[in-house]
Amino acid sequence: MSELILSCHLGINHQREHDPPSEPFVFQRVTQPGYPTPAATLSYRIDKVTEIYEGDYTTVYRASLLGQQSGGPRNIVLKTDVNARYPRSSKFTQEALRYEKDLQHMQGTYIPDCYGLFQATIYNKLISVLLLEDCGESIDFRDESLLYSDKIQIFKLFTELHVSGFAHHDVDGRNIVKNQDGKFILVDLEDSRPHKCEVRLYVLIGDFAPPESDFGCRELYNVAFELDFWLPENVNFYGHQVPVGAFKDGEAKNLVALLPSYMLRTEEDREVALRCAEKMIKDVQEIQAVYIDVPDEERYLRPSDIPKSRSGSKPQAPA
């Protein structure tokens, strides 16, 4: 059975204040039905870690994986529940199963390579350590430096996950990392669950958002919104929430007509509202203008290629 030797501090020695240090700690690789069997018995070692995230239930470190079978030091991310408030071995087991079995075909392309789940009982507590490829830094959906091509690549991460029969269930920029080659990778699969995707519309970038019920898949719908592929559903116009669809005809007077009557008591009220409507229409048109030079075939994303998705409502793809 493969093992992992930890010769570094993960907070383990602080589990019991009066116990002397007992490093190194030896973790055994988890094998169970459904897991691929390692080709050989391997012995890995980690001597130093750098913390990059600490939450109530998970701590994440960067580290170098050593050992004669590792082909030299290998940059990895170490995810552990050593400082968790409650035991989380089942979550780690589930996430490892996603990497090593259910989504193994996505490793190294859409999700990180996984080097195994290791566990040890220390001070009567079962501690889990999941070793993954270090694929870079997390992104921020609001980062203005994200290119159009970056957003397309990020959306593809989720569509490929859905094609494989799973949904992520934690759409957040911290769960998407970018490596030095500019490639994006999807991480943190502990909340992922089997998913039959019912998406039935193309995503037309820069267009008005369809109703979520028409689109058919909540997660892909949310990803498209996070990436600003669509105009927002509503905007604050003159202190009143107005559907963006009302801007389609470009008529300011029609937009003003949506306001409640108490806001339009005088002629001056109507004139001010009309000017505000004209400005809002101009702002929406400027947003849409960003995509004018993008060929139509590049504006259409085709999540409807997912098997068994319905296509009755999808727009015709450009010729």
Side-chain angles (χ1 to χ4, degrees):
M1 181 180 291
S2 299
E3 65 180 16
L4 170 68
I5 301 173
L6 281 182
S7 300
C8 54
H9 169 64
L10 292 181
I12 296 174
N13 284 330
H14 291 269
Q15 299 294 312
R16 288 170 54 179
E17 182 178 356
H18 302 295
D19 283 339
S22 57
E23 298 176 325
F25 297 98
V26 179
F27 290 71
Q28 301 298 323
R29 183 162 185 173
V30 175
T31 57
Q32 62 179 16
Y35 274 51
T37 303
T41 299
L42 305 177
S43 180
Y44 294 120
R45 191 178 80 255
I46 294 176
D47 295 334
K48 183 179 180 181
V49 296
T50 302
E51 183 179 301
I52 56 177
Y53 171 81
E54 182 176 9
D56 290 338
Y57 306 105
T58 303
T59 306
V60 182
Y61 300 89
R62 276 201 167 92
S64 290
L65 188 64
L66 306 172
Q68 61 182 10
Q69 299 94 342
S70 66
R74 182 176 295 173
N75 294 330
I76 64 159
V77 166
L78 183 156
K79 182 175 181 179
T80 179
D81 59 353
V82 63
N83 296 314
R85 295 181 178 180
Y86 307 102
R88 303 189 73 246
S89 59
S90 61
K91 278 287 189 180
F92 276 79
T93 300
Q94 174 178 294
E95 184 169 12
L97 193 61
R98 295 288 182 264
Y99 284 110
E100 296 194 285
K101 181 191 176 191
D102 300 327
L103 302 172
Q104 186 180 25
H105 62 284
M106 295 180 66
Q107 283 193 44
T109 305
Y110 301 106
I111 62 175
D113 284 327
C114 179
Y115 304 121
L117 173 65
F118 297 80
Q119 292 180 333
T121 299
I122 301 173
Y123 303 141
N124 297 318
K125 177 182 179 181
L126 180 62
I127 295 175
S128 299
V129 171
L130 182 63
L131 304 184
L132 300 167
E133 174 190 10
D134 186 352
C135 294
E137 301 293 337
S138 297
I139 69 159
D140 183 344
F141 280 123
R142 301 298 158 213
D143 186 352
E144 295 182 357
S145 69
L146 279 178
L147 303 176
Y148 177 83
S149 57
D150 293 337
K151 294 183 177 183
I152 297 294
Q153 189 184 153
I154 292 168
F155 190 76
K156 185 175 176 63
L157 295 178
F158 289 91
T159 60
E160 289 296 325
L161 185 65
H162 284 219
V163 165
S164 298
F166 287 86
H168 191 274
H169 288 286
D170 192 7
V171 177
D172 193 284
R174 71 178 184 276
N175 293 327
I176 301 163
V177 298
K178 183 179 182 180
N179 66 17
Q180 294 180 341
D181 297 326
K183 182 179 178 180
F184 294 90
I185 299 290
L186 190 60
V187 300
D188 193 1
L189 301 179
E190 70 173 53
D191 291 323
S192 63
R193 296 197 293 273
H195 173 71
K196 180 183 178 182
C197 195
E198 298 291 342
V199 65
R200 50 185 175 264
L201 295 180
Y202 287 156
V203 175
L204 180 56
I205 299 173
D207 198 9
F208 296 94
E212 181 184 320
S213 58
D214 290 349
F215 189 72
C217 177
R218 175 173 292 181
E219 180 160 282
L220 293 184
Y221 192 83
N222 291 339
V223 173
F225 260 117
E226 289 286 359
L227 294 171
D228 289 329
F229 281 165
W230 290 317
L231 297 174
E233 292 181 286
N234 300 286
V235 293
N236 190 318
F237 165 59
Y238 211 60
H240 189 69
Q241 289 296 311
V242 175
V244 173
F247 292 80
K248 283 186 177 180
D249 60 12
E251 291 289 338
K253 64 180 181 181
N254 294 337
L255 195 58
V256 171
L258 297 174
L259 295 177
S261 58
Y262 71 83
M263 301 182 71
L264 304 170
R265 290 194 177 112
T266 68
E267 186 63 31
E268 181 180 0
D269 289 340
R270 287 188 288 273
E271 289 178 359
V272 172
L274 190 63
R275 288 196 297 270
C276 288
E278 290 170 346
K279 182 179 184 306
M280 290 294 293
I281 289 172
K282 182 180 178 181
D283 290 343
V284 170
Q285 291 172 340
E286 287 178 353
I287 294 173
Q288 292 181 296
V290 172
Y291 299 98
I292 286 178
D293 295 329
V294 179
D296 281 349
E297 62 271 17
E298 294 182 16
R299 290 178 62 199
Y300 276 89
L301 299 182
R302 295 173 170 79
S304 53
D305 291 341
I306 292 173
K308 298 183 180 179
S309 65
R310 296 189 295 270
S311 58
S313 303
K314 74 178 181 182
Q316 291 296 314

